[in-house]
Amino acid sequence: MASEQTTITVPGPNGEREVRISSPSRILWPELGITKLDLARYVSDVGEAFIAANGGRPVSLQRFSGNVDGEQFFSKNPPKGAPEFIRSVKVVYPSGRSHPQLVLDEPAAAVWAVQMNTIVFHPWPSRADNTDNPDQLRIDLDPQPGTGFEEAVPAALVLRGVLAEAGLTAFIKTSGNRGLHVYAPIRPDREFLDVRHAVIAAAREVERRMPEKVTTAWWKEERGTKVFLDYNQANRDRTIAGAYSPRALPHAPVSCPVTWEELPDVDPRDFTVQTVPERLRTVGDPWAGFGKNPGNIDALLEWWDRDLSHGLGELPFPPDYPKMPGEPPRVQPSRAKK
């Protein structure tokens, strides 16, 4: 017997495309009964804003063999059988090896990724035509145990001011979980390590202004009950869930752009696969102007140099990175003291 399948019509810049969805009734979010077909329709409904935020970039796919509680894996290689309207681009990883990654240029491409069992989309901060130079500065505000979204909000507001002092316009979105993601469009004229140093400089400035509330400490044992400013998300091949991407959590949340004005009253649980399409229709896309006036990171790199002269050096890299110049030992502080 033939397996269950259907097609949906997806509008896009090149006209409508019919995208096949196999196993459309498979439940992805058991608590809500949201199906694979529901997810495909969600991605189609938010397609224009989704592609504006995530399109034209290398993207990693977080794919699930069953529902959000089941097995998952990250797909960096383009899945086999991609339609002709989907392209890929070769990227270089920290190890020095290179490999092609998928690029989504229209909503139908994202819907096809759902057909391939993708739930979470992780775009690079650089574009396909210049993968080595990010055009986005990103900082992940990650509340540690004992803190939550409420503590991340004031930290994000201070970060916005710090970035403004450095000549950058900040945009914000919920992470889809407990945190916040702050982005700033930048001109793609610096490579990843420079952007990482710019992020560290901004994070350290926020830490100076809120020393009891935020931290740049890489080791969890040193963070306490603070909001961690995750500078390592600025590294090559480090990605976070894209704007309007669903998250694999029981209530089907979405990483949702918001305005700075509404941020103090936001409840991130309000933004879900079931609610965000209507929000876009009625409120619009808070990131519609993203990237129109990119800044540069020159001021932040001056802050980085200033901090170097005051004895603040490089910070730890992710554990799978090769040893980097100037990096402190990758040993937990509690173990290093023994």
Side-chain angles (χ1 to χ4, degrees):
M1 185 173 66
S3 61
E4 179 194 15
Q5 62 179 313
T6 189
T7 62
I8 69 169
T9 303
V10 184
N14 300 303
E16 295 181 341
R17 296 193 191 275
E18 298 293 321
V19 181
R20 182 181 68 88
I21 306 296
S22 61
S23 304
S25 61
R26 177 157 62 87
I27 302 294
L28 299 182
W29 282 275
E31 290 188 14
L32 301 174
I34 296 174
T35 67
K36 183 177 178 181
L37 180 58
D38 293 329
L39 177 58
R41 286 172 173 161
Y42 163 79
V43 171
S44 179
D45 287 345
V46 303
E48 184 176 352
F50 180 95
I51 292 298
N54 307 303
R57 304 175 180 279
V59 62
S60 299
L61 308 178
Q62 191 174 350
R63 299 164 65 189
F64 291 73
S65 57
N67 61 41
V68 296
D69 299 321
E71 294 182 0
Q72 59 177 287
F73 64 99
F74 278 85
S75 175
K76 295 184 177 182
N77 301 341
K80 293 181 180 179
E84 52 83 22
F85 58 86
I86 295 178
R87 63 182 171 124
S88 63
V89 64
K90 187 170 288 188
V91 298
V92 178
Y93 298 113
S95 64
R97 69 180 181 86
S98 61
H99 212 280
Q101 284 204 208
L102 202 68
V103 180
L104 307 177
D105 292 315
E106 59 177 279
V111 173
W112 174 81
V114 171
Q115 156 60 15
M116 301 304 293
N117 301 319
T118 301
I119 290 179
V120 191
F121 295 80
H122 298 263
W124 277 43
S126 56
R127 301 191 68 83
D129 59 0
N130 186 3
T131 59
D132 293 329
N133 290 10
D135 69 341
Q136 295 176 343
L137 180 148
R138 302 174 174 179
I139 303 181
D140 180 7
L141 283 71
D142 183 11
Q144 298 304 288
T147 63
F149 186 82
E150 295 76 13
E151 286 75 25
V153 169
L157 292 169
V158 171
L159 175 56
R160 181 195 188 192
V162 165
L163 293 176
E165 291 171 25
L168 297 176
T169 300
F171 292 76
I172 191 162
K173 65 184 179 73
T174 64
S175 69
N177 196 358
R178 300 168 61 246
L180 287 163
H181 297 157
V182 174
Y183 285 42
I186 57 176
R187 292 195 285 274
D189 51 15
R190 301 275 192 169
E191 51 88 32
F192 275 91
L193 188 60
D194 285 336
V195 175
R196 168 193 161 88
H197 289 161
V199 166
I200 291 174
R204 281 175 166 160
E205 190 60 34
V206 176
E207 190 175 29
R208 290 187 189 99
R209 300 180 190 191
M210 308 179 73
E212 303 302 318
K213 301 294 185 182
V214 305
T215 181
T216 59
W218 174 247
W219 299 105
K220 291 183 179 180
E221 66 186 37
E222 296 186 318
R223 295 177 189 172
T225 54
K226 299 179 181 180
V227 175
F228 173 47
L229 304 177
D230 190 352
Y231 57 87
N232 266 332
Q233 295 294 0
N235 288 324
R236 180 185 294 272
D237 195 31
R238 282 298 180 277
T239 57
I240 51 185
Y244 298 107
S245 172
R247 302 301 305 272
L249 296 170
H251 62 290
V254 166
S255 181
C256 188
V258 298
T259 67
W260 288 103
E261 291 71 26
E262 67 182 324
L263 177 63
D265 300 316
V266 158
D267 181 345
R269 294 183 63 89
D270 290 340
F271 307 129
T272 72
V273 168
Q274 294 171 315
T275 64
V276 166
E278 180 62 21
R279 170 180 163 85
L280 266 176
R281 284 189 287 269
T282 57
V283 177
D285 180 11
W287 282 23
F290 192 103
K292 291 184 178 179
N293 295 295
N296 64 62
I297 61 173
D298 294 352
L300 290 176
L301 291 179
E302 290 176 5
W303 297 2
W304 165 260
D305 289 337
R306 173 203 64 195
D307 288 346
L308 285 179
S309 69
H310 291 166
L312 294 175
E314 186 62 270
L315 292 176
F317 283 76
D320 60 329
Y321 256 59
K323 183 65 177 177
M324 301 296 289
E327 182 186 5
R330 293 185 193 174
V331 181
Q332 277 181 250
S334 59
R335 293 186 178 182
K337 294 173 184 176
K338 292 182 179 180

